[in-house]
Amino acid sequence: LEAMLLRIAGGYVPALAESRAIDLDRIMDPIVLPDQGIWHPCAPEIYSTLGEYQDWYDKEHCPMAGVPIDAPLIGVILQKSHIATNDNGHYVAFVQELEMRGARVVCTYTGGLDFSQPVTN
């Protein structure tokens, strides 16, 4: 949010833009999420394929979280807007609860309201 406000102020507020009081080159670039992906609250990134996700999940996360590799797998469909705005506390709690009860979890999201694509993929 801070980066966005600084970019707006540095580019569109005449006094700041003319004086170059804000160095736009030093402000972080926006993070653009893919329209569809696989998300986990502990993952270092959003995954584009189930294979990439399972590689991280099975080798790194499951042993650390105490989730058995042979546990049942539960798929969850999320809304991208909650992931993009970091308004994901309810998703985090849900995933943690499922894992605490011994399940493996894969969460996929899509940008639209048509959830048929994540289901079929």
Side-chain angles (χ1 to χ4, degrees):
L1 182 60
E2 179 182 354
M4 179 186 75
L5 293 174
L6 286 171
R7 281 192 180 281
I8 291 170
Y12 297 102
V13 175
L16 292 174
E18 291 169 9
S19 69
R20 298 190 184 265
I22 298 174
D23 185 358
L24 296 177
D25 293 330
R26 294 190 62 207
I27 299 171
M28 67 179 259
D29 289 332
I31 298 170
V32 179
L33 296 179
D35 194 43
Q36 186 174 329
I38 300 171
W39 172 88
H40 188 281
C42 297
E45 63 184 285
I46 304 267
Y47 295 95
S48 57
T49 69
L50 183 58
E52 292 172 345
Y53 174 78
Q54 285 181 315
D55 188 48
W56 167 80
Y57 193 77
D58 292 344
K59 291 179 182 173
E60 294 184 40
H61 182 71
C62 283
M64 182 181 65
V67 178
I69 298 291
D70 60 346
L73 179 65
I74 298 175
V76 182
I77 300 175
L78 313 174
Q79 286 187 313
K80 180 183 176 185
S81 60
H82 292 286
I83 303 302
T85 60
N86 209 24
D87 177 26
N88 57 17
H90 54 300
Y91 292 155
V92 173
F94 186 60
V95 169
Q96 288 175 338
E97 186 66 27
L98 290 172
E99 290 178 340
M100 283 177 36
R101 293 175 181 250
R104 298 171 67 235
V105 183
V106 59
C107 298
T108 183
Y109 71 84
T110 183
L113 296 177
D114 176 13
F115 298 113
S116 62
Q117 191 153 10
V119 171
T120 57
N121 292 346

